[in-house]
Amino acid sequence: MAVIKPFAAIRPNVKEADQIAALPYDVYNREEAKEVVSGHPLSFLNIDRPETQFADEQDMYADEVYQKAHDLFWDMVQQGHYVKDEKPCYYLYELTMDGRSQTGLVACASIDDYQNAVIKKHENTRAEKEKDRIRHVDTVGAQTGPIFLAYRGVDEVNRVVDKTKKCAPVNDFTSEDGIRHRVWVIDDAADLEMIEQAFSGISQIYIADGHHRCASAVKVGLKRREENPGYTGKEPFNYFLSVLFPDQELMIMDYNRVVKDLNGLSAKAYLEQVEKLFRVTPMEKAKPQSKGHVSMYLEGKWYDLVLPESKADENPVEAMDVSKLQKLLLEPVLGIGDPKTDARIDFVGGIRGLEELERRCKTDCKVAFAMYPTAISELFAVADASLLMPPKSTWFEPKLRSGLFIHEI
């Protein structure tokens, strides 16, 4: 059963939270990160991407870069930009985008639950991508980027959330991208106990986003266990910073595909091949309206492709629209064998709209596919079966901000 603990967060002072909160470190390349932090000395991205504090030729993985992250953060704490809560609490973090809100519980999850698959994953991680965050967390001595977790909602937690949100938030600001962020503190002893007990009855929690951050946080915890053989299991390094969202709160956006050529086929010959595989209907510009449909853009025209229905007992990965498109069209017709490594395919988050797919087809690509969003139930089914989702199956918006909650280890 899940162990979800309250903790004493280090949080921005109320007046500066909007200046400190930053998008996750991995949404930027090095050049973009340096541009974002320019003129924003309080932005948490300065700490999350400490190489921005050095000349461009600086090795971004050198010891002094990670030490810079440590020094910047703890200097901010010393200067009062951050304040540590006096006692363990849970927190609520609400994000509102385009009039739609989702509220997560900020808490600490157990590294043992990750090891024992109570916390389930749906994609593999690569060691080289973990190394940077392992060194960052270990050197700073704190977890700074929350892991985005999902669970099947429970009434007891929902009641505490609803009650808490009737009070005034401690943070309430709108970021430059139009996302509204609100934070509440849950410090009532009865509420803390109810939440912890409620999660102790939950047997599965799911990583929605942040697999590499999660794996890195767990490995730092295991490293510190080795360094402290007399550990009790209660030390902060046994837990990692998370925001847990009930399934009914979450919205997964489409994650779309563009392909750079037609694998030697003319547009006419390619379309004829597609018509042999699917029911194809010309359509007005539109996203697919239900599972089993894909909107295809080719030569300035949109088409609705109807995917074949799945058998009831089909593997949950094979039942996914992205899997069917890959198996039936992308691989045999367009020659995309491994979408993780093939440079001929690219992926476009649904937040960018159909216009971006059309733009790509007018510049560097030949055909685009707009997908129907993966359902959270599909993510759960794949993880429950201990399987892995195809690459780029889910796009979560809005992104959790880093820097609003810090878990010192």
Side-chain angles (χ1 to χ4, degrees):
M1 297 301 183
V3 177
I4 301 297
K5 293 284 189 181
F7 70 108
I10 301 175
R11 298 186 290 122
N13 72 53
V14 173
K15 294 181 180 179
E16 295 176 328
D18 61 331
Q19 301 174 61
I20 290 174
L23 284 166
Y25 74 96
D26 52 1
V27 306
Y28 303 106
N29 61 34
R30 185 171 184 170
E31 182 180 355
E32 290 168 341
K34 194 159 191 174
E35 182 179 346
V36 169
V37 303
S38 177
H40 296 87
L42 295 183
S43 171
F44 195 77
L45 194 61
N46 290 282
I47 297 164
D48 241 357
R49 297 292 294 269
E51 76 275 11
T52 59
Q53 311 302 303
F54 295 83
D56 292 344
E57 59 270 19
Q58 169 70 41
D59 176 6
M60 64 187 291
Y61 303 115
D63 290 345
E64 59 267 26
V65 174
Y66 295 99
Q67 186 61 40
K68 185 67 173 180
H70 170 280
D71 295 346
L72 283 172
F73 175 64
W74 291 107
D75 283 349
M76 288 185 74
V77 174
Q78 191 73 26
Q79 294 165 14
H81 300 295
Y82 274 97
V83 179
K84 184 170 182 177
D85 287 327
E86 295 182 356
K87 63 179 183 178
C89 306
Y90 290 116
Y91 307 87
L92 298 182
Y93 180 18
E94 179 196 75
L95 302 96
T96 303
M97 182 180 75
D98 298 333
R100 183 188 181 279
S101 296
Q102 59 187 50
T103 304
L105 180 78
V106 184
C108 280
S110 166
I111 67 174
D112 290 318
D113 283 350
Y114 179 87
Q115 294 285 92
N116 299 330
V118 171
I119 296 174
K120 297 177 177 290
K121 59 185 181 179
H122 60 80
E123 67 179 51
N124 281 331
T125 57
R126 301 205 310 269
E128 62 270 21
K129 288 189 68 175
E130 295 173 15
K131 289 179 182 177
D132 168 58
R133 285 303 102 176
I134 289 172
R135 293 185 66 190
H136 190 280
V137 171
D138 203 26
T139 303
V140 174
Q143 296 156 354
T144 60
I147 313 306
F148 189 155
L149 301 180
Y151 66 99
R152 294 179 178 90
V154 291
D155 291 341
E156 295 90 339
V157 177
N158 293 341
R159 283 196 292 270
V160 176
V161 170
D162 292 342
K163 182 183 78 170
T164 303
K165 290 180 67 175
K166 291 177 181 177
C167 302
V170 296
N171 296 121
D172 187 349
F173 64 91
T174 300
S175 49
E176 292 180 355
D177 56 359
I179 308 300
R180 186 181 184 186
H181 306 264
R182 297 202 294 171
V183 172
W184 291 263
V185 178
I186 302 175
D187 57 6
D188 177 78
D191 290 340
L192 297 179
E193 183 178 358
M194 180 177 290
I195 291 172
E196 190 166 352
Q197 286 296 319
F199 276 101
S200 71
I202 295 176
S203 58
Q204 300 99 14
I205 292 176
Y206 305 84
I207 302 174
D209 200 12
H211 281 77
H212 284 92
R213 289 195 298 276
C214 189
S216 300
V218 169
K219 287 183 178 179
V220 172
L222 295 175
K223 174 177 178 289
R224 295 205 170 197
R225 284 182 174 182
E226 291 180 1
E227 296 167 349
N228 298 273
Y231 76 91
T232 66
K234 296 181 179 180
E235 298 84 357
F237 59 72
N238 293 287
Y239 301 91
F240 59 88
L241 178 64
S242 305
V243 184
L244 300 103
F245 290 88
D247 52 353
Q248 68 267 22
E249 292 272 326
L250 290 178
M251 178 183 70
I252 303 178
M253 297 190 73
D254 42 308
Y255 215 153
N256 304 313
R257 281 92 170 107
V258 290
V259 180
K260 297 184 177 181
D261 61 64
L262 298 179
N263 199 27
L265 297 170
S266 67
K268 182 176 182 293
Y270 164 74
L271 186 57
E272 289 173 350
Q273 291 269 28
V274 174
E275 289 173 335
K276 294 176 183 177
L277 297 168
F278 311 104
R279 189 168 77 243
V280 179
T281 307
M283 64 184 299
E284 297 295 323
K285 177 179 176 179
K287 292 184 176 183
Q289 298 302 301
S290 62
K291 178 175 169 59
H293 289 257
V294 176
S295 296
M296 181 180 73
Y297 186 70
L298 175 71
E299 297 275 286
K301 297 179 181 179
W302 284 96
Y303 300 87
D304 173 51
L305 311 186
V306 180
L307 303 174
E309 293 185 7
S310 305
K311 296 178 181 178
D313 59 350
E314 193 169 11
N315 175 306
V317 173
E318 294 177 356
M320 296 176 64
D321 287 356
V322 290
S323 297
K324 293 178 182 178
L325 184 71
Q326 173 64 31
K327 180 180 179 180
L328 298 174
L329 177 55
L330 297 183
E331 182 171 1
V333 179
L334 292 176
I336 306 294
D338 185 353
K340 293 191 296 290
T341 59
D342 198 317
R344 295 171 52 238
I345 189 170
D346 200 1
F347 304 90
V348 179
I351 191 72
R352 307 190 69 174
L354 297 180
E355 291 74 18
E356 177 64 10
L357 300 184
E358 293 181 343
R359 187 193 70 80
R360 292 294 299 272
C361 287
K362 294 172 183 174
T363 53
D364 63 334
C365 294
K366 290 294 185 182
V367 64
F369 303 93
M371 310 301 300
Y372 188 73
T374 299
I376 191 69
S377 59
E378 291 181 282
L379 186 155
F380 287 177
V382 171
D384 284 340
S386 299
L387 298 172
L388 302 176
M389 297 181 79
K392 312 298 183 183
S393 297
T394 57
W395 180 279
F396 287 93
E397 287 285 350
K399 302 295 184 188
L400 305 180
R401 265 31 178 200
S402 295
L404 286 176
F405 311 93
I406 308 296
H407 176 228
E408 183 180 3
I409 61 170

